[in-house]
Amino acid sequence: LRQAEAVLAEARRVAAALDDERLAANALVRQLRLRLQITTDATAEAASAAEQVLPVFERHRDVLGTYHAHRLEAWVYWIRGNVGAASAAWETAAEHARRAGASREEAEARVWLSYAALAGPTPAREGVARCEELASLLAHRPMAAALVLDPLAALQAMLGRFDEARASLARARTILAD
């Protein structure tokens, strides 16, 4: 992580030297996402940066950069325990990733939407429906689909549907073993 931090700091220096605001915004977002993996002390800085870089990405029509900014925003909300707002940010991030043709990034955001359905204010029945929808959307990405089955199983268990929950977990294990 220290090496990644050094590379991103260098990217920010190069962007400043080139006076490239788009490159600088991308490097900043990625650097702050990395910091949030190390410490939650960067949430205020990350929240501010996400807000500041969005107009830069919009000006440059950088749809993938916009994805990364909303992903950073989602992480800030998640760390702060505002799962509803995190879910909205991940939904926006997923849409930008889809528009950018970035299927891996879209899948990542959609997986987090399933965890938000479990951890947030969504009623269990709605969460099950949401996770089933996400699993279907992610069927072409087996790892992501398997990850969605974990919160789905928890939500099914909350509703007393234990056989379905066990079946969801068994399906996830099969996919992951494959």
Side-chain angles (χ1 to χ4, degrees):
L1 294 177
R2 281 191 251 276
Q3 185 178 1
E5 174 70 28
V7 168
L8 290 167
E10 177 63 17
R12 288 185 66 195
R13 283 191 290 277
V14 168
L18 294 172
D19 196 28
D20 186 330
E21 72 172 351
R22 184 175 157 265
L23 179 60
N26 271 293
L28 175 62
V29 166
R30 288 187 173 91
Q31 187 177 44
L32 288 169
R33 174 65 183 98
L34 177 66
R35 280 193 202 146
L36 289 178
Q37 289 178 286
I38 299 167
T39 177
T40 58
D41 292 345
T43 55
E45 184 182 3
S48 175
E51 193 176 299
Q52 291 171 2
V53 299
L54 280 168
V56 173
F57 292 138
E58 288 169 11
R59 251 192 320 279
H60 292 277
R61 294 184 175 87
D62 185 345
V63 181
L64 192 56
T66 303
Y67 155 81
H68 283 288
H70 285 292
R71 176 180 173 232
L72 180 64
E73 177 184 49
W75 271 105
V76 168
Y77 286 131
W78 186 264
I79 290 167
R80 290 178 173 171
N82 189 342
V83 179
S87 183
W90 270 312
E91 191 71 56
T92 303
E95 177 56 25
H96 281 87
R98 186 196 63 73
R99 287 181 40 218
S103 64
R104 184 183 62 79
E105 288 83 355
E106 179 184 0
E108 178 192 24
R110 296 203 186 282
V111 166
W112 278 103
L113 284 167
S114 70
Y115 283 96
L118 172 62
T122 305
R125 284 192 200 309
E126 290 175 32
V128 165
R130 181 67 171 139
C131 287
E132 288 172 344
E133 174 192 8
L134 291 165
S136 177
L137 281 171
L138 295 169
H140 67 288
R141 299 196 64 91
M143 178 65 103
L147 292 173
V148 169
L149 294 174
D150 180 53
L152 172 60
L155 288 159
Q156 289 166 327
M158 285 178 182
L159 295 172
R161 294 162 39 187
F162 301 113
D163 289 339
E164 289 178 45
R166 287 184 192 97
S168 293
L169 291 175
R171 216 167 77 220
R173 276 193 305 273
T174 300
I175 293 168
L176 294 173
D178 228 12

